[in-house]
Structures are given as C-alpha cells and as structure tokens.
Amino acid sequence: MAADKACTQCRAMVDGSTCVVCGGTDLTKSWEGQIFIFNFETSDVAKAINAKANGRFALKIK
Ligand SMILES: [Zn+2]
C-alpha cells in the first residue's frame, strides 16, 4: 500500500497513472489517512470530503 497515490483533484486513491474518478493525472504520494466510501450519494463522509464516487479516498492531501 505504500506506493498508493492519491488524486490531487478529487482525493481518490489511484492505481496506475490516471484517476478513474475524475480522469486527473496529477497524483501525489503525500497523503494521510484513507477512507472507503460505499454509498457516496448518501454518505455524510463522502459529502465532507466531496467524494463523487465509491471507492478509496485519501482523507488529507498534503
Ligand atoms: Zn481524481
């Protein structure tokens, strides 16, 4: 998991070089915390971090 990168646009955890959520390619390894969103449409947590999809998201981008 140490090599995981997070999208700086939407905070989604990215496997590879392009974010599957927003299509962004600006990725960073400098993130803290991780959360799994299951129901982004109804999740307060998803709203709090502005998640627009289900999946893993970084809580904080440094
Ligand atoms: Zn993204």
Side-chain angles (χ1 to χ4, degrees), residues 3-46:
D4 276 0
K5 287 166 282 184
C7 175
T8 59
Q9 303 295 313
C10 70
R11 304 195 219 188
M13 300 307 300
V14 177
D15 232 355
S17 57
T18 306
C19 174
V20 293
V21 176
C22 73
T25 53
D26 194 7
L27 313 175
T28 180
K29 285 183 180 177
S30 298
W31 53 270
E32 259 177 21
Q34 207 178 102
I35 194 159
F36 203 99
I37 304 290
F38 294 99
N39 297 293
F40 75 95
E41 284 139 323
T42 54
S43 165
D44 288 337
V45 179

